[in-house]
Amino acid sequence: MSRQVFLYDQPERFVAGTVGLPGRRTFFLQATAGSRVTSVALEKTQVAALAERMDELLDEVVRRSGGSTEVPAMAPTGPADTGPLDTPVEEEFRVGTMALAWDGEDQRMIVEAQALVELDAESEEDLAEAEERLLQDEENGPPMLRVRLTGAQARAFAKRALDVVNAGRPPCPLCSLPLDPEGHVCPRQNGYRRGA
């Protein structure tokens, strides 16, 4: 069976979003073009890392071009896409590895998210070699979502993704861990709850 690649070249919509209540949210990347929708699950930290790295890469493109690129220095102003994920949200796979690249010729950000794969190996070297072989195998590698975005689309994605990550549970003012609705045992209070 050949590798399954979900390709979106400048999709109508590419967003990070969640399903569930704060503290129990499942994070997704979702690409939409016409009636075709692809959703892949990932961790909150992966969403944050992707958004931050995307902004850094775009900043570098702007810097190297001396401002002569079509990439905006900031997320476009105007109505932002704050809508929920398109339903039904059907997980194609859980993301393991992600990659970013800039196609200077076409002025496009390339985002790749590959499925999480479990590998058996005797040593760290064997594991690294097995991972590299699997990721480079265009014929039999893990399923992958590949999205090509304009600079403006990439900036808008990064802004929304960071907003989604930060919209979770508020942090404890003492330890910065998330506060649960049921209560919070703060390690900085040695297990004692603060009175209201």
Side-chain angles (χ1 to χ4, degrees):
M1 185 170 121
S2 64
R3 179 181 208 173
Q4 188 173 21
V5 177
F6 301 93
L7 177 62
Y8 288 83
D9 194 352
Q10 203 171 336
E12 294 165 14
R13 188 173 193 227
F14 180 60
V15 295
T18 62
V19 173
L21 298 172
R24 293 175 180 82
R25 297 185 296 172
T26 302
F27 286 78
F28 289 92
L29 296 179
Q30 189 177 75
T32 306
S35 62
R36 200 174 75 139
V37 178
T38 302
S39 304
V40 296
L42 69 169
E43 298 297 322
K44 178 180 181 177
T45 55
Q46 289 175 297
V47 174
L50 177 62
E52 290 165 3
R53 288 291 302 135
M54 192 176 282
D55 265 340
E56 289 170 9
L57 181 56
L58 292 169
D59 290 345
E60 183 65 16
V61 168
V62 170
R63 187 187 69 73
R64 286 189 180 190
S65 74
S68 65
T69 182
E70 295 177 14
V71 175
M74 296 174 52
T77 57
D81 181 353
T82 57
L85 295 172
D86 293 325
T87 57
V89 178
E90 297 176 358
E91 178 183 324
E92 295 293 340
F93 59 83
R94 178 157 287 280
V95 175
T97 305
M98 293 186 298
L100 280 178
W102 178 255
D103 179 347
E105 189 174 316
D106 290 337
Q107 296 287 299
R108 296 288 183 264
M109 171 75 67
I110 302 166
V111 181
E112 290 183 351
Q114 297 188 60
L116 181 64
V117 177
E118 293 186 31
L119 299 171
D120 292 325
E122 297 292 322
S123 67
E124 288 289 322
E125 293 82 24
D126 291 343
L127 182 60
E129 187 178 314
E131 282 179 341
E132 187 62 29
R133 270 195 321 269
L134 185 64
L135 295 176
Q136 298 302 321
D137 188 349
E138 287 296 323
E139 184 64 28
N140 300 308
M144 178 185 357
L145 170 64
R146 181 179 291 145
V147 181
R148 295 173 51 84
L149 305 167
T150 65
Q153 285 177 312
R155 286 283 191 203
F157 169 86
K159 181 180 182 330
R160 176 188 164 122
L162 290 173
D163 289 347
V164 166
V165 166
N166 294 326
R169 298 172 289 171
C172 172
L174 298 174
C175 69
S176 298
L177 292 173
L179 292 171
D180 289 319
E182 300 86 37
H184 172 68
V185 179
C186 180
R188 300 211 54 206
Q189 292 290 317
N190 295 325
Y192 294 103
R193 293 180 188 234
R194 284 180 83 174

